[in-house]
Amino acid sequence: MTFGISLDIGTSGTRAHALDMSDGKIIATAMTSCHPLPGANIMDHLTFCMRNGVELAHNILMDTVNKVIANLHIDLKQVERVAICGNPIQLSLFQGIPIDDLAFAGKNAYKAHNIKQQKRDAGVFNAAAVGMNVPDNTELLVPPAIRHEIGADALAMMYKSGFLDQKNNCLVTDYGTNAEMALKVGDEIYTGSAAAGPAMEGQSIKWGMLAAPGAISDLKYEFRWRCKVLDEKMEVLPGDQYDFGLEMCTEEGPMHGRAKGITGTGVIAAVAAVVDGRLWRKGKIQTSDGKLHMQDGIYVDSNDVSEACKAIGAIRAGHFTLLEHAGVKFSDLDIMYMAGASGTYVDAIKARDVGLIPPLCTTVYQIGNTSLLMATDILRNPELLDKLQEIANHIRSNHVMFATDKIFEEIYIQELAYWDEGMTLGMYNSHLEQAGIQALPEVKGTPTVHRAVERDIPEYGPYGLFILDNVGTELIGKFDGCNKCGKCVNECPEHALSMDEDGTFRVQTKKCLGTACYRCQMHCPQKVYKYDQLKMI
């Protein structure tokens, strides 16, 4: 018997299927609970690579990939083919490709920094050569990126959703840390990518976690707010019921005592709850302690909601910007496709209410993890690579770089003022009118929602799902002049840093916030601690 492995390398973690190549059936599924690199978003990972080197980042990632495939219940010596999907940065790290060209945009920047643009077209490579623990002759099938930060995962959401065959104006978004999106108007496709931040994946949230058993994934209004919790099969079951106005539990549910944290979709539901209950004003939750308490001690605070609102604002600004570039009014956009774990488990009605879906969309499709689905399709049919390359070549002409786009900048400024400063929708639209941008309509009606899948990974195989927590590795280092005062260790907010008796520092990469923090380095009294000089153990 021979096997195949399909992989989705995401900003928040890795997912994998093992397949029996004789019939193409899924045998087992494994996933990580987080990403092994320091940091919580794609910019943190990119900066870590720029400062510490692609080789170190590649080695850390491959260590995790090999741990994942070791838990797929197959003989790795019998693997003949691997297919992979993900965004350009993650796939570049996987393959060991330089990522300098992804850190900058435009010909002038490339020339100023002497950067060579890398080819990220579809191809067949050697899986063992990139560091996978598989036989030397194992094929590695890699689909194409579309352009710059719009990668194979964005292509997957268009291809697997039915978006490309849709005749009416439609929008598709893979909701996550880096929210890839595409707008189809006739035969033209406009793409963009909004750095939404880690809140969409339940990260940088006090009780945040990825979609996994024990995660509060939603809040459903039943005259009170009912917690919805993922069980061991990743299915959504009812938890406890709460009255947020009275700040009390009114009824225990079947999942009582089993919640471990809250995922990004649960945080979005919490935003909808505080907005609906008029408990959010000028960046603060208006409860007695500034927290929204849920079951089993889980809560979100004002900082958590603020982080989620920034993500919502970035995604809505991205949708808005694509519409403006295409010359399309909100009233002319009816169809929305939602991809990714956040797009699967979030309540689409609440998502539209808070701004994750354009306000006048009448039909919503929730389609699951398209990245892993497409990798699995490629594994079964390698000739699909040629078709995907043709699609990518066609799409490349209409990419909008949000980081340098004036329309996106103007809209996002209004979003921040709307969520954190209490700006009214009327004032929001007044400022946009002055900038020559169409108004944001109020939400109207109730859209028809089609759930293509009940969970983001529809099929696990007979061996089921294995969730790997033991990811990442340790970075170590010693610094001349260190007096072992321990101030750097005490300042680490994630308890990722420790110090041995001989003055050797150890950083657990999966816990470390990386370049978004650096408190260890900033608080060194002797100024000798240098994060970028740490080495992989």
Side-chain angles (χ1 to χ4, degrees), residues 54 58 61-62 84 88-98 119-121 123-126 129-130 140-143:
V54 171
H58 168 76
L61 179 58
M62 295 312 298
I84 188 170
I89 289 177
Q90 303 302 335
L91 292 194
S92 295
L93 295 182
F94 180 89
Q95 293 181 267
I97 297 173
K119 286 190 67 175
R120 295 182 174 86
D121 290 335
V124 181
F125 306 91
N126 186 306
V130 301
L140 172 63
L141 309 178
V142 182

Side-chain angles (χ1 to χ4, degrees), residues 153-172:
D153 53 347
L155 183 59
M157 72 180 180
M158 297 182 218
Y159 176 75
K160 292 298 296 180
S161 64
F163 168 89
L164 294 172
D165 299 322
Q166 181 60 248
K167 301 302 181 184
N168 298 321
N169 295 342
C170 57
L171 185 66
V172 61

Side-chain angles (χ1 to χ4, degrees), residues 133-379:
N133 292 337
V134 293
D136 288 340
N137 60 348
T138 303
E139 291 182 336
L140 172 63
L141 309 178
V142 182
I146 296 172
R147 182 176 173 182
H148 208 261
E149 80 271 33
I150 299 293
D153 53 347
L155 183 59
M157 72 180 180
M158 297 182 218
Y159 176 75
K160 292 298 296 180
S161 64
F163 168 89
L164 294 172
D165 299 322
Q166 181 60 248
K167 301 302 181 184
N168 298 321
N169 295 342
C170 57
L171 185 66
V172 61
T173 300
D174 189 334
Y175 291 88
T177 303
N178 194 49
E180 294 86 3
M181 57 189 69
L183 171 68
K184 187 171 185 289
V185 181
D187 292 329
E188 293 294 313
I189 295 175
Y190 298 80
T191 61
S193 178
M200 288 301 300
E201 299 282 3
Q203 299 181 62
S204 292
I205 301 295
K206 175 66 177 178
W207 285 96
M209 61 184 291
L210 297 181
I216 297 174
S217 64
D218 194 13
L219 299 170
K220 187 173 180 63
Y221 189 71
E222 302 170 346
F223 300 104
R224 303 286 189 275
W225 289 97
R226 172 78 68 180
C227 295
K228 296 292 185 176
V229 185
L230 299 179
D231 70 358
E232 287 74 14
K233 296 181 180 180
M234 296 287 283
E235 294 176 353
V236 181
L237 295 180
D240 296 351
Q241 189 181 66
Y242 276 78
D243 187 316
F244 293 137
L246 297 176
E247 301 182 34
M248 60 182 293
C249 176
T250 55
E251 181 182 300
E252 294 181 355
M255 291 295 286
H256 174 74
R258 297 170 66 181
K260 300 176 182 177
I262 183 167
T263 192
T265 56
V267 177
I268 296 304
V271 173
V274 296
V275 170
D276 181 77
R278 299 182 180 180
L279 297 173
W280 181 253
R281 288 198 292 273
K282 293 189 175 181
K284 300 292 181 184
I285 297 176
Q286 303 300 308
T287 55
S288 60
D289 60 357
K291 299 175 181 176
L292 197 70
H293 289 273
M294 286 166 268
Q295 71 176 76
D296 305 325
I298 310 300
Y299 64 83
V300 295
D301 58 23
S302 296
N303 181 69
D304 295 336
V305 173
S306 181
E307 286 296 312
C309 290
K310 290 175 185 175
I312 292 168
I315 292 172
R316 180 156 65 183
H319 291 164
F320 212 145
T321 300
L322 291 184
L323 289 172
E324 286 294 295
H325 277 273
V328 173
K329 300 296 183 184
F330 279 101
S331 57
D332 295 326
L333 180 66
D334 295 328
I335 299 171
M336 181 75 203
Y337 295 93
M338 304 180 74
S342 295
T344 303
Y345 294 115
V346 73
D347 182 303
I349 305 299
K350 297 190 194 75
R352 196 177 71 139
D353 288 344
V354 300
L356 287 173
I357 298 174
L360 302 181
C361 280
T362 58
T363 305
V364 180
Y365 297 91
Q366 294 180 279
I367 54 179
N369 184 329
T370 53
S371 187
L372 184 58
L373 283 174
M374 192 173 81
T376 305
D377 284 351
I378 295 169
L379 190 66

